[in-house]
Amino acid sequence: PGSLWRVENAVEVPEGWAVYEVEMFTSSDCSSGRLSGEIIASGYAPPIEEHGPINSMDGNTSTIWMSQCCPIDEFQRPLGFELFEFHVGCNIGDAWVGVDLGAGNTVNNVKCVRIFQVGYEKMQSQMAYVSKWNGTAWSPQWVLDGLGGSEWNRRPASP
């Protein structure tokens, strides 16, 4: 418990969640204790090079993670699925991205999160959960509320 952390959509996102960057910290002002490890996610909209989960924590706001509930161009679909109609839009909790700190590396609390979402409102989550794996299930720890896009959002917000 405490070695897996994620940020997940806490509201419906009509056209799939798209995020440039997510950062999680153990300090309450996002100044220290940035979590790092293997990037984990609910999925992605292909191709992985352009929309894969690693893009959400690579320190680059010009790369993007697009969740599996984003539209997928028919030419990017896996072989044999070109004509398959994929569901577009994320229900609550469908889309998430996080970090696996590795065995033996645990964090009791994530106290600050910075997130940079796309500017298009239908691909933003205005609210998100910060959750950790408790050994048997994901457990929401707190809520990021009033989130927008096209810029960094920090929770708790700066004084």
Side-chain angles (χ1 to χ4, degrees):
S3 65
L4 296 167
W5 286 86
R6 73 182 189 183
V7 176
E8 62 186 279
N9 69 305
V11 295
E12 290 186 18
V13 185
E15 295 186 27
W17 200 13
V19 176
Y20 292 116
E21 287 294 311
V22 175
E23 299 173 342
M24 293 180 271
F25 298 86
T26 57
S27 66
S28 59
D29 63 356
C30 288
S31 65
S32 62
R34 183 176 174 183
L35 273 56
S36 63
E38 182 180 347
I39 310 306
I40 57 174
S42 54
Y44 64 91
I48 194 167
E49 301 80 21
E50 293 178 25
H51 307 140
I54 196 166
N55 293 342
S56 68
M57 295 186 188
D58 64 358
N60 184 348
T61 56
S62 63
T63 61
I64 193 167
W65 167 65
M66 294 179 70
S67 66
Q68 74 283 359
C69 33
C70 287
I72 302 172
D73 183 81
E74 73 178 76
F75 299 108
Q76 301 294 342
R77 296 176 185 171
L79 190 60
F81 288 89
E82 299 86 357
L83 301 178
F84 183 80
E85 290 297 322
F86 288 89
H87 173 75
V88 174
C90 302
N91 294 321
I92 295 170
D94 279 356
W96 53 267
V97 65
V99 62
D100 179 347
L101 303 174
N105 297 314
T106 61
V107 166
N108 289 328
N109 291 303
V110 167
K111 297 179 181 175
C112 189
V113 174
R114 289 178 9 113
I115 186 167
F116 196 130
Q117 301 183 93
V118 297
Y120 181 50
E121 193 172 338
K122 291 184 178 188
M123 295 180 94
Q124 297 172 10
S125 187
Q126 293 79 25
M127 189 167 51
Y129 297 121
V130 177
S131 300
K132 77 174 177 179
W133 183 254
N134 66 19
T136 56
W138 288 103
S139 173
Q141 301 298 296
W142 55 289
V143 177
L144 312 174
D145 204 357
L147 301 174
S150 296
E151 64 182 2
W152 284 102
N153 285 233
R154 183 180 122 181
R155 299 294 180 273
S158 301

